[in-house]
């Protein structure tokens, strides 16, 4: 009985728990994939990495790695993707052309995955704007613009 009271007494000093977070964005251009491969931006609670994978190799190449401050991670973490669909396809661009984007965001135990075929989405643009602040110029990704034509019908 005394042990139970002791445990209850400790509840007044609760520890703040940090939520688990990860973000991965893989992108490639169909015309360039054979030569330039797939670029993947990975972000965790404190680390940003950029990797390149090639169809000619089983191993990814680490291009860049940087510790990211908590404020910057929080800015990215707080870009809401919850209202986005799982899949976007731009019928103005052939399926074998254009840019592909694969986004995976995990917060705690909830993972959301989004695929975009040459499709402009403002929230994805915001992700790239924030990530680009932390990578060297040659690794910055030039995402599509709001002027991208995507109103064609199947």
């Amino acid at each position: 009985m005394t042990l139970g009271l002791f445990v209850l007494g400790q509840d007044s000093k609760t520890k703040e728990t940090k939520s688990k977070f990860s973000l991965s964005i893989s992108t490639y251009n169909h015309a360039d994939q054979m030569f330039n491969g797939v670029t993947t931006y990975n972000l965790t609670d404190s680390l940003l990495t950029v990797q390149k994978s090639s169809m000619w190799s089983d191993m990814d190449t680490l291009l860049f790695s940087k510790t990211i401050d908590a404020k910057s991670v929080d800015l990215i973490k707080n870009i809401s993707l919850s209202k986005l669909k799982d899949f976007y396809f731009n019928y103005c661009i052939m399926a074998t052309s254009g840019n592909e984007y694969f986004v995976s965001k995990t917060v705690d135990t909830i993972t959301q995955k989004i695929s975009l075929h040459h499709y402009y989405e403002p929230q994805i643009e915001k992700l790239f704007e924030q990530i680009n602040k932390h990578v060297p110029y040659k690794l910055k990704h030039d995402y599509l613009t709001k002027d991208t034509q995507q109103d064609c019908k199947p």
Side-chain angles (χ1 to χ4, degrees):
M1 189 72 137
T2 306
L3 182 58
L5 292 174
F6 179 72
V7 172
L8 288 174
Q10 285 188 338
D11 286 346
S12 64
K13 292 184 179 180
T14 58
K15 292 182 181 177
E16 186 177 320
T17 58
K18 193 171 185 178
S19 63
K20 177 186 167 197
F21 170 73
S22 67
L23 173 73
S24 174
I25 305 175
S26 295
T27 183
Y28 67 89
N29 178 279
H30 281 276
D32 295 336
Q33 183 185 14
M34 187 181 313
F35 304 105
N36 292 325
V38 177
T39 302
T40 302
Y41 300 81
N42 290 305
L43 178 65
T44 64
D45 287 319
S46 61
L47 186 67
L48 173 65
T49 61
V50 182
Q51 296 175 279
K52 181 78 75 171
S53 60
S54 167
M55 61 176 45
W56 312 115
S57 174
D58 291 337
M59 302 209 25
D60 291 347
T61 302
L62 181 64
L63 303 175
F64 179 76
S65 181
K66 177 182 177 182
T67 301
I68 303 293
D69 62 280
K71 183 178 178 182
S72 296
V73 172
D74 284 343
L75 282 173
I76 295 169
K77 184 192 297 188
N78 291 326
I79 296 172
S80 177
L81 305 179
S82 63
K83 294 184 180 175
L84 300 185
K85 299 184 287 185
D86 294 341
F87 182 71
Y88 293 88
F89 190 89
N90 184 345
Y91 288 100
C92 299
I93 304 293
M94 291 184 351
T96 56
S97 297
N99 297 330
E100 297 289 340
Y101 301 94
F102 303 97
V103 179
S104 178
K105 181 180 179 183
T106 300
V107 179
D108 293 324
T109 60
I110 299 170
T111 298
Q112 182 178 9
K113 294 182 179 185
I114 304 164
S115 298
L116 303 98
H117 168 71
H118 206 88
Y119 196 92
Y120 172 78
E121 172 54 53
Q123 295 302 91
I124 304 303
E125 180 180 42
K126 289 178 185 177
L127 288 175
F128 275 115
E129 285 173 353
Q130 292 302 315
I131 289 170
N132 282 343
K133 292 178 180 180
H134 300 281
V135 297
Y137 180 79
K138 66 181 182 173
L139 295 176
K140 291 182 186 302
H141 184 74
D142 190 19
Y143 184 63
L144 305 172
T145 68
K146 63 182 176 186
D147 297 326
T148 301
Q149 184 181 359
Q150 54 194 33
D151 58 353
C152 299
K153 302 296 178 204

